[in-house]
Amino acid sequence: MNRQARNQDILTAAIKALHREVGLQLLVIECEAEAGDKHADAIIQLPEVATRLAVEVKKWTAHANLGVVINRINQIAEPGCGMLVADYVNPKMCEELKKAGVQFIDTVGNAYINQPPVFVYAKGNKPTPEAQARKKAKTGRAFHLAGMKVVLAFLRDKEFIEAKYRAIAEKAQVALGAVGPVINDLIAQDMVLEGMEKNQRQLADFDRLLDKWVEVYPYKLKEKYWIGTFTTDDPDWWKTINPEKFNAVWGGEVAANKYTDYLTPKNATVYINKVDMAKFLRAARLRKPGPHEHPEVRVDLIEPFWDTVPVNEEKKGLAPPIITYADLLETADPRNLDTANRIREKYIN
């Protein structure tokens, strides 16, 4: 089943479930809608309500990156005019989406709609066998560990997609044998176009590839290199630290501050090799949180997993803009989402 047919299947099932649960019938105005540079999987409307809602369809995943979902809805629609349609939205995610003002429906009748005079909030419905059958299929090679590193190399430098396999493997820091299957998977997913000549390839849709990479980044790549979480009683600790002295770079909120001069960091992400960690912790006066402590300042240490040579407008001492962008989206914090989109517009697009 291709992407459009899958989206239609989920949308139809979700509309039927909503009608079954609360008697409300949504009208599909258009599928695969374009409005300027924005693309919505569908446009729907409630009876007797003038507002039309731009829809983003998502296959259910237990590891949904909520920040990416919220950001995507905010991108395709004005506030209050977007809707997530999913296979299944679990109770915790229902609460978080409602808190963020993101309307949703799923194929088992969970829903949040706030279009006066219509208000619906239903959660706790369990997946049916039919919904279970729609579960996310196993992702191909492109979005597993080695594939994520290869795709990152392409996202950082669009022209690199035409490089020889050996050069790609060296740049992405993966085994040579991993490159071919990743590229074949990207071609099969219509994310890479292949020409008639050898190594004649190009990215079919940079934005879709970036969105997919960022969506699975926290649990397909980042957590594999996670070292630990630390804290400090000094919220301004980062201002006196030069990460380059420790062969490290800033990610997350600190990198965002330096890329945009906009965000005031509260938490920090540091990409650092384990051999340099002890010196860094001493210099920064960081410590492990206590067993029952909920620290005001969180500092995550992650091992770097990319070629650290800067590309294009990347800056020394900072993680690449794409990684910083992904770090910010993972938090689902509104102030971070706003800053993430500033970074995407200035450095990535």
Side-chain angles (χ1 to χ4, degrees):
M1 181 182 293
N2 63 31
R3 178 175 174 273
Q4 291 183 12
R6 180 209 71 192
N7 287 352
Q8 184 64 48
D9 176 56
I10 294 173
L11 178 59
T12 300
I15 290 174
K16 287 181 178 178
L18 181 69
H19 184 261
R20 183 183 66 246
E21 291 293 317
V22 300
L24 184 64
Q25 182 67 56
L26 298 179
L27 306 175
V28 179
I29 306 300
E30 182 181 359
C31 291
E32 302 299 327
E34 303 288 343
D37 61 346
K38 297 179 180 179
H39 172 87
D41 293 323
I43 302 295
I44 62 175
Q45 188 172 7
L46 281 72
E48 302 180 9
V49 176
T51 303
R52 293 186 173 187
L53 304 177
V55 166
E56 173 77 4
V57 179
K58 282 285 184 188
K59 291 187 74 174
W60 174 78
T61 170
H63 300 281
N65 187 338
L66 191 60
V68 172
V69 172
I70 294 170
N71 193 60
R72 177 61 182 163
I73 300 298
N74 291 340
Q75 285 180 334
I76 66 172
E78 298 298 321
C81 297
M83 174 174 279
L84 168 69
V85 177
D87 271 22
Y88 174 63
V89 182
N90 65 44
K92 182 178 179 180
M93 196 172 182
C94 285
E95 294 174 6
E96 293 296 329
L97 289 170
K98 182 175 180 289
K99 182 179 177 182
V102 175
Q103 300 172 103
F104 63 85
I105 59 175
D106 71 10
T107 63
V108 299
N110 298 306
Y112 169 59
I113 300 174
N114 188 6
Q115 294 291 319
V118 177
F119 181 85
V120 176
Y121 183 45
K123 68 174 184 176
N125 291 320
K126 305 292 185 182
T128 63
E130 291 78 10
Q132 291 282 12
R134 295 187 186 93
K135 277 187 180 181
K136 186 178 179 69
K138 290 183 178 179
T139 53
R141 295 290 189 91
F143 298 104
H144 285 252
L145 184 60
M148 289 287 288
K149 295 167 76 173
V150 171
V151 172
L152 176 60
F154 297 156
L155 291 172
R156 292 178 69 199
D157 183 354
K158 300 182 186 73
E159 304 301 322
F160 200 62
I161 188 69
E162 292 192 306
K164 294 180 179 180
Y165 282 14
R166 187 171 298 279
I168 293 172
E170 292 176 357
K171 182 78 171 177
Q173 301 177 358
V174 300
L176 177 60
V179 177
V182 170
I183 290 178
N184 289 338
D185 184 35
L186 291 172
I187 292 170
Q189 295 190 52
D190 297 323
M191 291 185 176
V192 167
L193 301 177
E194 191 171 35
M196 298 298 293
E197 303 295 328
K198 186 177 181 180
N199 296 331
Q200 188 178 36
R201 299 179 292 268
Q202 69 180 60
L203 299 182
D205 189 334
F206 178 87
D207 287 331
R208 187 161 76 91
L209 183 61
L210 173 62
D211 289 343
K212 177 63 176 178
W213 189 90
V214 169
E215 181 180 350
V216 299
Y217 166 71
Y219 56 93
K220 289 289 188 179
L221 183 55
K222 187 176 183 179
E223 74 172 19
K224 309 296 184 183
Y225 290 88
W226 184 80
I227 298 173
T229 297
F230 300 84
T231 190
T232 175
D233 297 325
D234 179 10
D236 296 323
W237 69 275
W238 57 274
K239 293 181 179 180
T240 60
I241 297 295
N242 178 1
E244 293 180 76
K245 290 183 177 180
F246 308 94
N247 300 310
V249 295
W250 296 117
E253 296 179 19
V254 178
N257 168 271
K258 296 180 180 296
Y259 273 123
T260 66
D261 196 27
Y262 175 73
L263 180 70
T264 300
K266 176 185 177 184
N267 300 313
T269 302
V270 182
Y271 290 92
I272 187 170
N273 294 303
K274 287 183 179 179
V275 295
D276 300 302
M277 184 179 69
K279 291 181 180 179
F280 177 81
L281 292 175
R282 286 196 297 269
R285 297 183 178 180
L286 299 177
R287 59 177 174 80
K288 272 283 190 182
H292 302 294
E293 182 180 4
H294 300 285
E296 289 292 322
V297 177
R298 177 186 173 117
V299 183
D300 289 315
L301 267 54
I302 319 288
E303 286 191 277
F305 45 79
W306 66 91
D307 176 1
T308 54
V309 177
V311 176
N312 301 326
E313 296 185 70
E314 296 173 11
K315 299 180 180 181
K316 289 184 177 180
L318 305 181
I322 288 171
I323 292 175
T324 301
Y325 173 73
D327 286 338
L328 295 175
L329 291 188
E330 182 187 0
T331 69
D333 185 323
R335 69 194 182 102
N336 288 352
L337 299 186
D338 182 34
T339 308
N341 289 320
R342 291 170 183 257
I343 291 174
R344 180 166 181 161
E345 181 177 349
K346 182 176 181 179
Y347 292 100
I348 301 174
N349 290 349

